[in-house]
Amino acid sequence: MKRILLVDGDPAALRLLQQELAVLREACDLSFVAGAAEALALLEQSTYDVVLTDIHLGGMGGLELLAEVKRRYPQVVRLAYSGCAHQDLVVRGLAVAHQVLPKPLSAELVWGTVSRACALRDQLGSAALLTLVSGLHRLPSLPSVYEELVTVARDDSSTIDQAARIIVKDAGLAAHLLHIVNSVFFNLRRTVVSPAHAVALLGLETVSALVLSASVHQTLQTAESDRATVASLQRHGLAVAQSARQFVSMEEVGRLALDQAFTAGLLHDLGRLVLETQMPAECRAVRQLMEGERLTDVEAERVVLHATHAQVGGYVLALWGLGAAVVEAVVFHHEPRSAHRREFSVLTAVHVADGCAQAERSGMESGKVDHEYLAEIGFADRFAQWKAAV
């Protein structure tokens, strides 16, 4: 049974919340408190799976509370909610919360979100995955250039020139960025001649994601690695990123999801890159098993590695602090039904985009798209339109 701690500084709102969520008491253990101090005191005394707080608390605010929970109890799922969840507030919230929910909260929304978040946590905390990760030579660290760009992106007063100055600190990275932006994938009508030009045309979030991808590929491309494989993964990631963002745009689910879909698509095979460059012998064994036993890559990875490249990639992104929507899409992009999410999301877009990209390479009709999953979420009839847009 999941244990959930709910925090709201408005007594009337807290009472309404207790009434609305009463139906969940058979499925989970609910505790309600009116402030951050009470919440932290309970967390010291007992173990909780989830903390769900209103952003606008008196005294220590909800985001400050979640930052403290993140520091003291990193295994706890952190959720926030607000009645005025503008994009800038959501972006700030996602720095410390796994997800920001809109008011009013319903039992269905809370339970669905908690189920998905705990499923993601359980995947990333599995013994098999942790054993595999501990055997890697090293995990890539979050590139400092990307960290600086994220800081600039969160500052409303920042300028394009500020972002460009950060990128050009690394001449090789800047050149790699311009090469990617001017590739056929973006199909721009003009040549992009500078990082500032790239930011102006594509937006800081997209450029930041490209910088992150380019930095990781440069870091992991060692002398021992198969450079052709690394280059192929990079091209595939860019194709999936473009398609995933296009699918989100077609469903009109918001600007934030557009950026998340692009980032998740770009990095969905990060785990494969990590494994190919650090465990080449094991990856060869995976490919041999796929060919000899006609297994999927995920099935063969579970036999050889006892975990999957999707889990490894999600683990790295979670360590880097990327948002839950991006991490979820990476972890479950081969097995979307395992995420317990039953609506169109960034995960849906990345899953379908990856399947379409695989289909194009193999000549299959729809690659590895899970059509039963699309039917379950009510989007089976959209697949043909998405595929036609690629």
Side-chain angles (χ1 to χ4, degrees):
M1 178 177 286
K2 297 290 186 291
R3 300 198 70 212
I4 306 175
L5 176 58
L6 299 105
V7 190
D8 198 308
D10 182 342
L14 197 61
R15 286 194 297 272
L16 287 174
L17 199 56
Q18 289 174 309
Q19 294 171 9
E20 176 63 35
L21 302 184
V23 296
L24 297 180
R25 288 202 175 275
E26 291 187 5
C28 52
D29 180 3
L30 303 173
S31 299
F32 298 85
V33 296
E38 294 173 71
L40 292 173
L42 278 182
L43 287 166
E44 287 181 6
Q45 299 166 12
S46 187
T47 301
Y48 285 88
D49 296 290
V50 181
V51 172
L52 173 60
T53 180
D54 186 0
I55 286 180
H56 307 287
L57 294 179
M60 178 187 285
L63 297 185
E64 288 76 13
L65 167 61
L66 292 182
E68 191 63 18
V69 172
K70 181 179 180 180
R71 184 181 70 83
R72 297 191 198 181
Y73 313 101
Q75 77 282 2
V76 173
V77 172
R78 303 176 303 277
L79 303 175
Y81 61 94
S82 172
C84 52
H86 299 300
Q87 181 167 331
D88 59 339
L89 181 62
V90 172
V91 170
R92 286 194 293 112
L94 290 176
V96 293
H98 291 99
Q99 195 164 342
V100 178
L101 308 178
K103 280 187 176 181
L105 293 179
S106 66
E108 181 180 13
L109 174 63
V110 170
W111 182 242
T113 304
V114 166
S115 298
R116 290 193 300 271
C118 288
L120 179 59
R121 182 197 60 182
D122 294 344
Q123 284 268 339
L124 296 181
S126 71
L129 174 61
L130 296 179
T131 299
L132 174 62
V133 168
S134 68
L136 295 173
H137 301 305
R138 60 188 172 88
L139 285 176
S141 58
L142 184 62
S144 58
V145 173
Y146 176 76
E147 287 189 275
E148 291 183 67
L149 286 175
V150 169
T151 300
V152 167
R154 290 174 179 164
D155 183 355
D156 293 335
S157 64
S158 62
T159 66
I160 289 175
D161 287 339
Q162 284 178 285
R165 284 196 294 271
I166 292 170
I167 296 170
V168 298
K169 289 179 183 178
D170 185 331
L173 179 62
H176 196 132
L177 171 66
L178 293 178
H179 175 71
I180 294 172
V181 171
N182 285 307
S183 70
V184 295
F185 286 104
F186 282 92
N187 196 29
L188 299 175
R189 296 181 180 179
R190 66 190 81 176
T191 300
V192 178
V193 297
S194 69
H197 193 190
V199 175
L201 284 177
L202 300 176
L204 183 52
E205 291 82 3
T206 295
V207 170
S208 296
L210 290 170
V211 164
L212 177 56
S213 175
S215 299
V216 171
H217 282 83
Q218 285 185 338
T219 300
L220 290 176
Q221 188 163 286
T222 63
E224 295 79 20
S225 68
D226 183 343
R227 294 180 183 275
T229 298
V230 172
S232 176
L233 287 172
Q234 190 172 29
R235 289 193 299 272
H236 176 65
L238 187 54
V240 172
Q242 292 282 68
S243 296
R245 184 166 59 179
Q246 175 67 20
F247 300 159
V248 168
S249 176
M250 291 170 69
E251 301 310 318
E252 300 180 350
V253 292
R255 171 72 196 188
L256 182 61
L258 284 173
D259 298 330
Q260 291 169 335
F262 187 84
T263 301
L266 201 61
L267 298 170
H268 76 284
D269 273 343
L270 171 62
R272 196 186 299 278
L273 178 64
V274 171
L275 293 173
E276 288 283 356
T277 56
Q278 297 192 45
M279 290 186 162
E282 290 84 349
C283 289
R284 285 194 294 273
V286 167
R287 288 192 289 273
Q288 290 170 359
L289 192 60
M290 289 170 62
E291 294 171 4
E293 301 293 333
R294 300 184 67 83
L295 299 180
T296 67
D297 50 358
V298 170
E299 291 168 342
E301 285 168 352
R302 287 201 171 105
V303 172
V304 175
L305 303 169
H306 307 294
T308 71
H309 70 275
Q311 291 173 315
V312 172
Y315 184 87
V316 173
L317 295 178
L319 286 180
W320 288 349
L322 272 74
V326 172
V327 176
E328 178 185 64
V330 170
V331 171
F332 298 112
H333 72 270
H334 285 300
E335 302 168 314
R337 277 183 283 177
S338 297
H340 303 292
R341 182 184 286 274
R342 291 299 177 265
E343 68 271 0
F344 179 87
S345 64
V346 172
L347 167 60
T348 311
V350 173
H351 170 67
V352 175
D354 183 46
C356 289
Q358 290 178 7
E360 186 172 342
R361 289 190 300 183
S362 65
M364 297 170 61
E365 178 62 27
S366 59
K368 298 178 181 178
V369 174
D370 186 340
H371 291 278
E372 290 184 18
Y373 159 72
L374 294 182
E376 286 180 12
I377 66 172
F379 278 80
D381 60 339
R382 296 290 289 156
F383 174 74
Q385 295 176 58
W386 292 337
K387 191 172 184 294
V390 174

